Amino acid sequence: MKDACSPPEIARVWRNFVDGEWCEGPGGEHLTVMDPATAEPLAEVAMAGPRDIDRAVAAARGVTASRALSGMRPLDRGAMVQQMGRLLRDRADETARIICRDVGKSLSDAKGEALAAARYFEYFGAAASQIEGQFIPLADGLTTYVKPEPHGVVAHIVPWNFPHLMAARSLAPALAAGNANIVKTAELAPLSCYVLAEVAMEAGFPAGAVNLLCGTGAEAGAALAGHGGVDLIVFTGSDQTGREIMRAASARIVPSILELGGKSAAIVRSDADIDTVVENVRIGIFENAGQVCDAMSRLIVEADIHDRVVEAVAEMVRGLSIGPGWENADITPLISAGQKARVTDAVASGRAAGARVVNGGGSCPDRAGYYHEPTVFDRVTADMDLSRKEIFGPVLSILRADDLDHAITLANSTDYGLAAGVFTRDLDAALWCADQLEAGLVHINEWALGSCETPFGGVKQSGIGRERGREGLAGYVQSKSINIRHARPI
Ligand code: NAD
């Protein structure tokens, strides 16, 4: 990517997209998006409030009432979704520059996010025409057929850590299934999502099929989640907000898909390849400064390999660079001052609880942006907050396990259940662990495997429902049973 050593230029002023038009909020108010790398204002975004949400929901309801999407031939609708994917792929460098500036992540990771988003539209566009129903012959003269139908209006509430990708992950299947959509972007990093509205328009979706607004969670987010015109809520974010979403959904008895946080653990058996473990630790907990829902935040190491693994991880971490995303540094800034304070507090609590700092621990006071050193704790025990609470920062906790049973007990000892992993050359051990681990995803010998084709989601407090793959697509339709009594013609 060109010009990687100076901050890429991006637009200063951004507007919301409602009913096919770019618009300001009714009060003309703006939100300021901060640059995580410099802690200076980066851009201004029109701030949506409840009245804008009303307008967006009305526009989306108009699309469902007209059957403009649901009445289309799925092959044609899918072609439009695929076209969005092609347009996103063409604009991946531009989108990567926006992601790099507003999230703060490295340009190369940002490009990966932009291309992965394009793949969602390509994959789900191709899958649109494969949404099929059922035919159930009950008895002579009695037949049921089951028809999948879109929910209607889908609210997508997305987080800031992979804003473009998380919006794409739910918008692509929702459109493929024929739903109309309102995306509420995250106020800390909304900018890259606007590209999705542009390509939806360019691909020919009718006004109101994709509405995209930024506003605060407490105001715009709550107004959308509680809106009487929404038929399905898809939420990706923290478990605290997830509870609010469930309350809003329960008040109106609408379904919700919840993709929440994690405290994911990888088990390292004594026969594991240490170089592989170390490389996966680098990606698993230090990518995007650890602000990843399925980050490998705990490493559970069998006793007889423990010291060697700790030393190898420490050596890798000593070589990591810290800097802005446009320099493709290994450790990029956290999203905000608040997130930095959360990480700093977690590190202080880890020290106070008696865990040993192997690397880092500092909060980079000489840097203007929201940086934190990559930090490794050893001698972490299951009762410490370091083991139980999601930090969402570049902080790894290493726990020592007496044997494999103990490792499983430690891995399962949190309220979360998003991802888990095991590093071993022993296939029996790997598959046994896969059965025992309480997680929606289990990775064997490589962290964060999987793609748009494979289901993603958590158990326990990491969420409800699955995104991605055929199972993900199934979340965007509901079935209607049509029961027919038919007699012999007279
Ligand atoms: P968050 O819960 O603070 O915010 C997420 C979104 O919800 C934002 O758009 C926010 O404006 C909105 N929101 C906040 N309060 C709301 C309310 N009362 N009603 C409606 N909407 C509201 O989460 P975050 O800090 O943006 O993201 C980080 C969290 O997201 C972490 O816990 C991370 O693990 C999780 N996450 C999960 C996945 C996954 O796929 N499981 C992916 C990415 C992030």
Side-chain angles (χ1 to χ4, degrees):
M1 213 165 292
K2 275 192 254 166
D3 208 19
C5 284
S6 57
E9 289 293 324
I10 60 166
R12 299 290 297 189
V13 179
W14 301 70
R15 289 180 299 163
N16 291 322
F17 188 69
V18 178
D19 202 9
E21 289 179 356
W22 296 99
C23 52
E24 296 287 344
E29 281 180 83
H30 287 91
L31 278 159
T32 301
V33 178
M34 301 297 285
D35 182 344
T38 61
E40 284 173 6
L42 174 68
E44 298 283 314
V45 181
M47 180 157 81
R51 277 173 51 198
D52 306 87
I53 297 293
D54 284 345
R55 266 193 343 109
V57 174
R61 287 240 72 88
V63 172
T64 56
S66 69
R67 300 183 65 81
L69 287 184
S70 58
M72 269 179 96
R73 199 171 167 178
L75 199 65
D76 298 334
R77 198 171 59 228
M80 288 161 73
V81 176
Q82 285 185 298
Q83 174 65 359
M84 283 179 73
R86 275 190 290 275
L87 294 167
L88 287 172
R89 188 172 288 283
D90 291 347
R91 293 177 64 174
D93 284 321
E94 172 201 348
T95 306
R97 288 192 286 272
I98 303 171
I99 297 172
C100 168
R101 291 304 304 276
D102 81 339
V103 183
K105 67 178 62 171
S106 72
L107 262 177
S108 57
D109 286 353
K111 176 86 180 273
E113 177 171 348
L115 289 173
R119 279 169 66 92
Y120 277 122
F121 287 91
E122 292 164 350
Y123 171 79
F124 284 113
S129 56
Q130 293 167 40
I131 301 173
E132 292 179 346
Q134 273 179 290
F135 176 86
I136 305 168
L138 286 176
D140 280 353
L142 195 55
T143 297
T144 290
Y145 71 93
V146 183
K147 183 185 171 214
E149 293 191 338
H151 286 270
V153 173
V154 180
H156 309 251
I157 301 178
V158 298
W160 45 260
N161 62 334
F162 286 83
H164 185 76
L165 188 65
M166 297 298 93
R169 184 174 75 178
S170 58
L171 185 59
L175 280 171
N179 296 281
N181 303 277
I182 300 121
V183 180
K184 207 296 277 173
T185 61
E187 55 272 47
L188 291 173
L191 307 182
S192 60
C193 293
Y194 290 101
V195 181
L196 298 171
E198 288 169 10
V199 298
M201 199 166 53
E202 212 178 315
F205 278 99
V210 176
N211 303 276
L212 199 137
L213 307 92
C214 185
T216 65
E219 212 184 19
L224 181 57
H227 202 290
V230 167
D231 302 306
L232 168 68
I233 310 171
V234 185
F235 172 75
T236 307
S238 63
D239 51 305
Q240 294 90 329
T241 311
R243 287 186 184 84
E244 300 284 331
I245 300 293
M246 277 196 95
R247 267 190 282 276
S250 76
R252 294 185 303 101
I253 322 223
V254 292
S256 56
I257 299 170
L258 302 177
E259 295 285 356
L260 310 177
K263 192 73 204 177
S264 302
I267 293 173
V268 182
R269 282 217 85 194
S270 49
D271 66 346
D273 178 70
I274 292 185
D275 290 343
T276 302
V277 172
V278 169
E279 175 57 9
N280 280 277
V281 167
R282 189 183 67 73
I283 295 163
I285 185 64
F286 297 121
E287 184 198 278
N288 198 22
Q291 302 166 118
V292 179
C293 55
D294 54 342
M296 186 208 284
S297 52
R298 295 179 297 148
L299 196 65
I300 298 171
V301 189
E302 284 192 336
D304 46 3
I305 197 176
H306 170 272
D307 292 356
R308 281 194 289 142
V309 170
V310 172
E311 184 40 45
V313 168
E315 192 186 331
M316 175 274 289
V317 174
R318 282 193 287 272
L320 295 178
S321 60
I322 302 177
W326 58 83
E327 286 179 6
N328 274 322
D330 299 311
I331 302 293
T332 48
L334 296 159
I335 189 73
S336 65
Q339 190 59 26
K340 179 166 168 167
R342 180 175 162 184
V343 174
T344 310
D345 288 352
V347 168
S349 115
R351 286 184 205 268
R356 179 174 80 96
V357 178
V358 178
N359 294 87
S363 60
C364 305
D366 299 337
R367 289 178 180 267
Y370 311 125
Y371 293 91
H372 195 283
E373 287 177 358
T375 299
V376 178
F377 278 104
D378 187 22
R379 297 188 199 149
V380 177
T381 52
D383 56 328
M384 292 180 189
D385 281 356
L386 276 182
S387 258
R388 296 169 33 248
K389 294 194 177 164
E390 185 182 45
I391 299 172
F392 229 51
V395 181
L396 176 71
S397 297
I398 302 182
L399 294 86
R400 181 195 288 257
D402 301 333
D403 55 30
L404 201 51
D405 285 315
H406 185 212
I408 293 286
T409 304
L410 290 172
N412 290 342
S413 67
T414 78
D415 292 334
Y416 294 107
L418 188 49
V422 55
F423 290 87
T424 178
R425 292 185 171 96
D426 178 345
L427 186 62
D428 286 339
L431 296 183
W432 184 81
C433 287
D435 288 342
Q436 307 300 316
L437 287 164
E438 296 167 357
L441 314 155
V442 175
H443 307 300
I444 297 172
N445 289 329
E446 187 174 323
W447 194 256
L449 283 169
S451 179
C452 52
E453 307 93 323
T454 60
F456 185 99
V459 300
K460 294 159 77 175
Q461 292 189 21
S462 290
I464 298 174
R466 294 289 176 271
E467 294 278 20
R468 309 198 317 201
R470 292 162 72 114
E471 200 180 340
L473 185 57
Y476 293 89
V477 292
Q478 54 192 340
S479 58
K480 178 187 276 180
S481 295
I482 294 115
N483 305 298
I484 312 166
R485 164 73 69 196
H486 43 105
R488 186 189 168 121
I490 309 164

